[in-house]
Amino acid sequence: MKSRHPDLPVFIVGHSMGGAISILTACERPSDFAGVVLIAPMVQMNPDSATPFKVFLAKVLNHMLPSLTLGSIESKWVSRDKKQVEAYDTDELNFHGGMRVSFGMQLMGAAARIEREIPSINWPFLLLHGDADKLCDIRGSRMMHENAQSSDKKITIYEGGYHALHHDLPEVAESVLTEVTSWITERLPATKSPQPQGS
């Protein structure tokens, strides 16, 4: 995008695991982005499910049976909109199988890297998270908002919101789109209007 539009600021928007990737990308190349928008990002593992025993077990299994599959995502927690859940279930581009142990280890590694990076984050970011999200722990978003150095940071909690806020109930999805658009627009450089000829 930078080579195609060298004069335009670049923003990165990431959701869920894409949120984790966006955070790590912005940490590696902070000067590439004018801002980062994160919708229900995976910032840390849910401490209720990633107990010390389960983490230990995952490490053992990763050495012995790395391709062993664990439980898959329950699609009913993606959105409160039944049509969106049906669309998720029938989308062939979504992976509907179980998560492999080796993949789970990669997620844990990413979460550990993010936790180390958060105190040095100083780029602008907007965090959006539903407080009923059962797939990515909201505590991670709160922790990032509290501990990042950024002077330009904002968190919006959607009451009752599920995981894919941009595909949640129509009024929530619309509110998310409006907020993201406004946040980005406010950070665009002011453009000079062309002067009329002969003035």
Side-chain angles (χ1 to χ4, degrees), residues 20 29 37 50 69 79 86 92 95 125 142 148 150 160 189 196 199:
R29 299 191 309 223
V37 176
T69 54
S79 171
E86 284 170 24
E92 291 177 10
F95 177 67
F125 66 86
R142 288 191 170 122
S150 309
S199 61

mmCIF file of all heavy atoms in Angstrom, residues 20 29 37 50 69 79 86 92 95 125 142 148 150 160 189 196 199:
data_model
loop_
_atom_site.group_PDB
_atom_site.id
_atom_site.type_symbol
_atom_site.label_atom_id
_atom_site.label_comp_id
_atom_site.label_asym_id
_atom_site.label_seq_id
_atom_site.Cartn_x
_atom_site.Cartn_y
_atom_site.Cartn_z
ATOM 1 N N ALA A 20 -3.976 -9.977 17.186
ATOM 2 C CA ALA A 20 -2.652 -10.329 17.726
ATOM 3 C C ALA A 20 -1.579 -10.083 16.674
ATOM 4 O O ALA A 20 -0.518 -9.504 16.960
ATOM 5 C CB ALA A 20 -2.636 -11.793 18.176
ATOM 6 N N ARG A 29 7.153 -2.745 13.242
ATOM 7 C CA ARG A 29 7.306 -1.648 12.270
ATOM 8 C C ARG A 29 6.404 -0.480 12.640
ATOM 9 O O ARG A 29 5.475 -0.141 11.894
ATOM 10 C CB ARG A 29 6.966 -2.164 10.869
ATOM 11 C CG ARG A 29 7.886 -3.286 10.423
ATOM 12 C CD ARG A 29 7.727 -3.596 8.959
ATOM 13 N NE ARG A 29 6.329 -3.793 8.595
ATOM 14 C CZ ARG A 29 5.901 -4.757 7.791
ATOM 15 N NH1 ARG A 29 6.750 -5.606 7.276
ATOM 16 N NH2 ARG A 29 4.632 -4.868 7.476
ATOM 17 N N VAL A 37 -6.389 -0.339 14.758
ATOM 18 C CA VAL A 37 -7.737 -0.595 15.274
ATOM 19 C C VAL A 37 -7.839 -2.082 15.585
ATOM 20 O O VAL A 37 -7.535 -2.918 14.735
ATOM 21 C CB VAL A 37 -8.827 -0.186 14.254
ATOM 22 C CG1 VAL A 37 -10.213 -0.554 14.772
ATOM 23 C CG2 VAL A 37 -8.742 1.303 13.942
ATOM 24 N N ALA A 50 -6.515 -21.467 30.190
ATOM 25 C CA ALA A 50 -5.080 -21.763 30.084
ATOM 26 C C ALA A 50 -4.470 -21.844 31.482
ATOM 27 O O ALA A 50 -3.621 -21.051 31.867
ATOM 28 C CB ALA A 50 -4.387 -20.690 29.251
ATOM 29 N N THR A 69 -5.572 -32.860 17.667
ATOM 30 C CA THR A 69 -6.512 -31.740 17.642
ATOM 31 C C THR A 69 -7.273 -31.627 18.954
ATOM 32 O O THR A 69 -7.670 -32.618 19.553
ATOM 33 C CB THR A 69 -7.516 -31.864 16.473
ATOM 34 O OG1 THR A 69 -8.151 -33.129 16.543
ATOM 35 C CG2 THR A 69 -6.823 -31.728 15.138
ATOM 36 N N SER A 79 -21.365 -14.423 17.180
ATOM 37 C CA SER A 79 -22.269 -13.286 17.051
ATOM 38 C C SER A 79 -23.614 -13.598 17.680
ATOM 39 O O SER A 79 -24.015 -14.764 17.768
ATOM 40 C CB SER A 79 -22.466 -12.955 15.559
ATOM 41 O OG SER A 79 -23.479 -11.996 15.372
ATOM 42 N N GLU A 86 -24.839 -18.458 10.950
ATOM 43 C CA GLU A 86 -25.066 -19.361 9.812
ATOM 44 C C GLU A 86 -24.050 -19.084 8.697
ATOM 45 O O GLU A 86 -23.501 -20.013 8.100
ATOM 46 C CB GLU A 86 -26.490 -19.187 9.267
ATOM 47 C CG GLU A 86 -27.561 -19.841 10.130
ATOM 48 C CD GLU A 86 -28.978 -19.450 9.710
ATOM 49 O OE1 GLU A 86 -29.175 -19.077 8.526
ATOM 50 O OE2 GLU A 86 -29.871 -19.507 10.568
ATOM 51 N N GLU A 92 -16.799 -21.549 3.451
ATOM 52 C CA GLU A 92 -15.757 -22.549 3.221
ATOM 53 C C GLU A 92 -14.359 -22.015 3.529
ATOM 54 O O GLU A 92 -13.414 -22.788 3.683
ATOM 55 C CB GLU A 92 -15.809 -23.034 1.768
ATOM 56 C CG GLU A 92 -17.057 -23.852 1.465
ATOM 57 C CD GLU A 92 -17.146 -24.259 0.000
ATOM 58 O OE1 GLU A 92 -16.166 -24.077 -0.732
ATOM 59 O OE2 GLU A 92 -18.215 -24.772 -0.395
ATOM 60 N N PHE A 95 -12.013 -22.145 8.848
ATOM 61 C CA PHE A 95 -11.578 -23.487 9.248
ATOM 62 C C PHE A 95 -12.515 -23.977 10.338
ATOM 63 O O PHE A 95 -12.697 -23.313 11.355
ATOM 64 C CB PHE A 95 -10.137 -23.434 9.756
ATOM 65 C CG PHE A 95 -9.640 -24.767 10.260
ATOM 66 C CD1 PHE A 95 -9.447 -25.823 9.388
ATOM 67 C CD2 PHE A 95 -9.376 -24.964 11.605
ATOM 68 C CE1 PHE A 95 -8.992 -27.051 9.854
ATOM 69 C CE2 PHE A 95 -8.922 -26.183 12.080
ATOM 70 C CZ PHE A 95 -8.732 -27.234 11.198
ATOM 71 N N PHE A 125 -3.904 3.708 19.129
ATOM 72 C CA PHE A 125 -4.761 2.542 18.907
ATOM 73 C C PHE A 125 -6.159 2.738 19.484
ATOM 74 O O PHE A 125 -6.363 3.479 20.440
ATOM 75 C CB PHE A 125 -4.119 1.256 19.447
ATOM 76 C CG PHE A 125 -3.933 1.180 20.944
ATOM 77 C CD1 PHE A 125 -4.957 0.725 21.773
ATOM 78 C CD2 PHE A 125 -2.722 1.531 21.529
ATOM 79 C CE1 PHE A 125 -4.774 0.618 23.151
ATOM 80 C CE2 PHE A 125 -2.533 1.437 22.900
ATOM 81 C CZ PHE A 125 -3.562 0.973 23.718
ATOM 82 N N ARG A 142 -8.300 -4.822 28.217
ATOM 83 C CA ARG A 142 -8.228 -3.866 29.344
ATOM 84 C C ARG A 142 -6.777 -3.693 29.807
ATOM 85 O O ARG A 142 -6.329 -2.582 30.081
ATOM 86 C CB ARG A 142 -9.109 -4.345 30.493
ATOM 87 C CG ARG A 142 -10.602 -4.199 30.208
ATOM 88 C CD ARG A 142 -11.432 -4.427 31.456
ATOM 89 N NE ARG A 142 -12.809 -4.054 31.246
ATOM 90 C CZ ARG A 142 -13.851 -4.870 31.387
ATOM 91 N NH1 ARG A 142 -13.660 -6.131 31.753
ATOM 92 N NH2 ARG A 142 -15.083 -4.449 31.182
ATOM 93 N N ALA A 148 -0.196 0.222 28.078
ATOM 94 C CA ALA A 148 0.544 0.767 26.931
ATOM 95 C C ALA A 148 0.889 2.229 27.197
ATOM 96 O O ALA A 148 0.118 2.949 27.838
ATOM 97 C CB ALA A 148 -0.285 0.642 25.660
ATOM 98 N N SER A 150 1.102 4.620 25.028
ATOM 99 C CA SER A 150 0.484 5.520 24.047
ATOM 100 C C SER A 150 -0.285 6.653 24.705
ATOM 101 O O SER A 150 -1.053 6.434 25.641
ATOM 102 C CB SER A 150 -0.483 4.744 23.148
ATOM 103 O OG SER A 150 0.129 3.617 22.618
ATOM 104 N N GLY A 160 -22.820 -6.614 26.438
ATOM 105 C CA GLY A 160 -23.510 -7.771 25.862
ATOM 106 C C GLY A 160 -22.943 -8.231 24.532
ATOM 107 O O GLY A 160 -23.405 -9.215 23.958
ATOM 108 N N PRO A 189 -4.397 13.512 7.901
ATOM 109 C CA PRO A 189 -3.887 14.880 7.813
ATOM 110 C C PRO A 189 -4.910 15.778 7.121
ATOM 111 O O PRO A 189 -5.621 15.340 6.218
ATOM 112 C CB PRO A 189 -2.610 14.735 6.974
ATOM 113 C CG PRO A 189 -2.723 13.415 6.296
ATOM 114 C CD PRO A 189 -3.624 12.554 7.119
ATOM 115 N N PRO A 196 -9.481 28.937 -5.544
ATOM 116 C CA PRO A 196 -10.115 29.256 -6.817
ATOM 117 C C PRO A 196 -9.165 30.078 -7.709
ATOM 118 O O PRO A 196 -8.352 30.824 -7.206
ATOM 119 C CB PRO A 196 -11.354 30.083 -6.429
ATOM 120 C CG PRO A 196 -11.179 30.435 -4.987
ATOM 121 C CD PRO A 196 -10.166 29.499 -4.396
ATOM 122 N N SER A 199 -7.626 34.197 -7.609
ATOM 123 C CA SER A 199 -7.768 34.861 -6.316
ATOM 124 C C SER A 199 -6.432 35.258 -5.746
ATOM 125 O O SER A 199 -5.412 34.795 -6.175
ATOM 126 C CB SER A 199 -8.506 33.947 -5.318
ATOM 127 O OG SER A 199 -7.764 32.773 -5.141
#
